[in-house]
Amino acid sequence: MPDALALTADTLAHDWRLLIGGKLVPAKATYENPSPVTGKVIAHVPDAGSQEVDAAVTAASQDFPAWAATPIAERAAIVRQIAARVRENAAELAALDTLDGGNIIRLAQDDVHRGAEMLEYFADIARALTGDTVPVTADALHFTTHQPIGVVARIIPYNHPIMFAAGKIAAPLVAGNSVILKAPHQTPLSALRLGELVADLLPEGVLSILTGSGPATGDAIVRHPDVRRIAFIGSARTGLIIQRAAAETSVKHVTLELGGKNAMVAFPDADPAEVAQSVVHGMNFSWSGQSCGSTTRLVVHEDIRPQVVAEVARLAGGLRVGDPFDPATDVGTLVSQDQFDKVTGYLEIARGEGASVAAGGSPVPGTALAVEPTVFTDVTPDMRIAQEEVFGPVLSVLSFRDEAEAVRIANSVEYGLTGSVWTNDLRRAHRVANALEAGYVWINGSSTHYVGTPFGGVKSSGIGREECLEELLSFTETKAVHISYA
């Protein structure tokens, strides 16, 4: 297993470059990238500006027609080769994510393979890009085709760096677009390494990978008039900024997968021990709670609340927070000092609002930016920790007396990404799942994604669906053709 200090020596010595026009090129400027594990600078990362963005878009535009004309089976085969290259380098890519973002090594390794799985999935369904015939008239043939859009941008977040870097280029490439991938400034290294690994597999210009120290790089991409399709994953606040910037430039197709303040609703007929296990799993404590789909609100019936809370507190308290490179560690670090300050600030806000600590509640001493898995009880729906996305290892426990109240509490936030219902009553399960204002709902489960089923949110959690055929189709435009027999 790699050592953080030894790996830091390698990443500091490495000449990190952008992928533009099929070539690895330096940016005019760089920025220092610190590790949340060691607190030390681990790399000098290219800081792409408008000049680099223009170069990437120009290269993408030039090579788009040939890539779009490439038979879809050939495009899918190349995407499979990218997946194979990712899997071949899984250990290195996972280690970069652990050093760069603090994710524990065993989950970082899983992320690599999830990214490869998404590449393979979209290669598998490439031939689903079929059109339709529409029997409108008897003397003409009416049919549709799906055509690639052109230059598209994917802007990804820091919490699953390589999974998103690899997996989110799949659909637009298979659909025949040129792709500009903007990596997160906090965790850019695995995306940059991906560019080095796959540059020889694709025609020049079809894939560019850019990094930047702040919002300027992403803003230049979003506002570029030749970028006609934008897919963003991140916070609701940034999603609104992207919508506004895109609208100020030209008509663009924008999809957003944003934050969540997701509820797990547990009814009194559910087994308290099973609910507690699912709560801890759904909270994604092992990611330090840095997951938009985390069920961060446990809305539990008063009859089983004491048993569930006691077991959740026991399980959360038993998680080992430590060196993310140690395979025995259960919880790693938060991604940055800013995120650490935000999460620890919410710990104080919760106490100030009258919430009680059932587990955790404090930062972990040391240089790593870690916070204990935390469980707050005595939470009411009006509290900030019941309304706002913390994006940290913080669970809020609320209680209810009847089904109507449970649904009201679950739907009382601006977000609507995921939800979970625990009950053995089939009718109630369907009824509540239907009533929840969320795009992705588990019944007697949590957290797991099923590739091929649409993932996405409602309300302030976003627009569009991913991990499914709809994602592939969203990177195409539908053309209707009418052939008259007369």
Side-chain angles (χ1 to χ4, degrees):
M1 202 55 62
D3 171 81
L5 295 179
L7 183 56
T8 297
D10 293 338
T11 55
L12 272 173
H14 192 85
D15 182 16
W16 296 101
R17 295 186 169 218
L18 307 170
L19 177 63
I20 299 176
K23 298 178 177 60
L24 298 169
V25 298
K28 285 189 172 181
T30 62
Y31 68 94
E32 293 184 340
N33 181 35
S35 168
V37 181
T38 66
K40 309 282 187 187
V41 172
I42 57 172
H44 296 91
V45 179
D47 192 0
S50 59
Q51 183 174 328
E52 287 85 4
V53 171
D54 287 344
V57 175
T58 298
S61 299
Q62 289 174 346
D63 287 312
F64 163 67
W67 180 244
T70 301
I72 195 166
E74 293 182 25
R75 298 199 300 259
I78 291 172
V79 169
R80 287 188 190 283
Q81 290 178 323
I82 296 173
R85 194 71 58 87
V86 168
R87 290 192 190 276
E88 289 164 7
N89 294 274
E92 178 190 5
L93 293 167
L96 287 174
D97 274 4
T98 295
L99 181 65
D100 209 5
N103 295 336
I104 62 175
I105 190 66
R106 54 188 166 87
L107 291 184
Q109 290 168 341
D110 289 345
D111 261 7
V112 178
H113 293 289
R114 289 189 181 118
E117 179 187 12
M118 200 62 65
L119 286 157
E120 292 159 350
Y121 166 74
F122 283 108
D124 285 345
I125 67 168
R127 285 187 172 88
L129 280 178
T130 58
D132 295 308
T133 57
V134 186
V136 179
T137 64
D139 60 353
L141 173 65
H142 311 274
F143 66 92
T144 63
T145 62
H146 293 288
Q147 299 184 327
I149 294 170
V151 181
V152 307
R154 296 235 52 160
I155 304 174
I156 59 172
Y158 61 72
N159 52 335
H160 300 281
I162 188 58
M163 183 183 80
F164 287 136
K168 295 307 177 183
I169 63 174
L173 286 176
V174 168
N177 300 283
S178 293
V179 182
I180 297 174
L181 176 71
K182 164 60 175 65
H185 70 272
Q186 305 96 327
T187 54
L189 299 188
S190 60
L192 292 174
R193 181 63 179 134
L194 177 67
E196 297 173 358
L197 293 171
V198 306
D200 64 314
L201 297 178
L202 288 156
E204 294 182 358
V206 169
L207 175 65
S208 292
I209 298 178
L210 305 181
T211 53
S213 60
T217 309
D219 186 66
I221 294 170
V222 168
R223 291 180 181 275
H224 200 290
D226 293 335
V227 176
R228 299 173 50 212
R229 167 80 169 92
I230 301 158
F232 169 74
I233 304 173
S235 71
R237 177 180 176 274
T238 304
L240 289 171
I241 292 170
I242 287 174
Q243 283 185 312
R244 186 179 303 113
E248 289 172 352
T249 306
S250 60
V251 176
K252 299 173 184 278
H253 179 185
V254 179
T255 54
L256 307 168
E257 198 260 90
L258 306 176
K261 192 66 181 178
N262 311 297
M264 177 181 291
V265 181
F267 287 94
D269 61 327
D271 181 274
E274 291 183 349
V275 172
Q277 287 278 356
S278 190
V279 168
V280 173
H281 177 63
M283 249 309 301
N284 292 301
F285 281 127
S286 290
W287 297 102
S288 288
Q290 297 171 121
S291 178
C292 54
S294 298
T295 41
T296 54
R297 291 181 298 148
L298 169 60
V299 184
V300 59
H301 194 276
E302 288 183 346
D303 288 354
I304 60 170
R305 183 180 60 83
Q307 305 99 297
V308 172
V309 169
E311 182 64 6
V312 168
R314 186 188 71 81
L315 293 171
L319 295 172
R320 178 181 172 186
V321 184
D323 177 5
F325 283 100
D326 184 344
T329 295
D330 297 310
V331 182
T333 75
L334 294 159
V335 72
S336 67
Q337 186 67 53
D338 285 346
Q339 190 61 22
F340 179 82
D341 292 343
K342 176 186 174 183
V343 172
T344 53
Y346 270 105
L347 300 180
E348 296 309 310
I349 288 169
R351 290 186 175 95
E353 290 184 321
S356 303
V357 178
S362 300
V364 177
T367 57
L369 300 175
V371 170
E372 295 173 334
T374 297
V375 179
F376 280 111
T377 58
D378 301 318
V379 178
T380 56
D382 60 310
M383 291 183 180
R384 289 181 63 185
I385 56 164
Q387 290 290 321
E388 299 173 12
E389 185 180 39
V390 178
F391 220 63
V394 180
L395 173 70
S396 299
V397 180
L398 304 94
S399 62
F400 69 92
R401 292 175 295 278
D402 57 48
E403 182 179 311
E405 184 184 16
V407 171
R408 280 197 306 273
I409 292 171
N411 291 339
S412 66
V413 298
E414 66 171 303
Y415 300 102
L417 186 55
T418 72
S420 174
V421 182
W422 272 86
T423 180
N424 291 311
D425 183 329
L426 183 61
R427 290 183 177 86
R428 174 186 284 154
H430 281 285
R431 197 166 55 239
V432 176
N434 184 65
L436 289 182
E437 295 171 350
Y440 205 83
V441 177
W442 299 275
I443 294 175
N444 296 340
S446 60
S447 189
T448 305
H449 286 223
Y450 300 94
V451 175
T453 65
F455 184 83
V458 300
K459 301 196 294 188
S460 291
S461 288
I463 303 168
R465 295 295 181 269
E466 301 200 334
E467 303 176 13
C468 61
L469 177 60
E470 185 175 334
E471 180 180 351
L472 181 62
L473 293 173
S474 78
F475 287 98
T476 68
E477 292 178 317
T478 302
K479 176 178 286 187
V481 179
H482 311 276
I483 303 174
S484 176
Y485 299 152

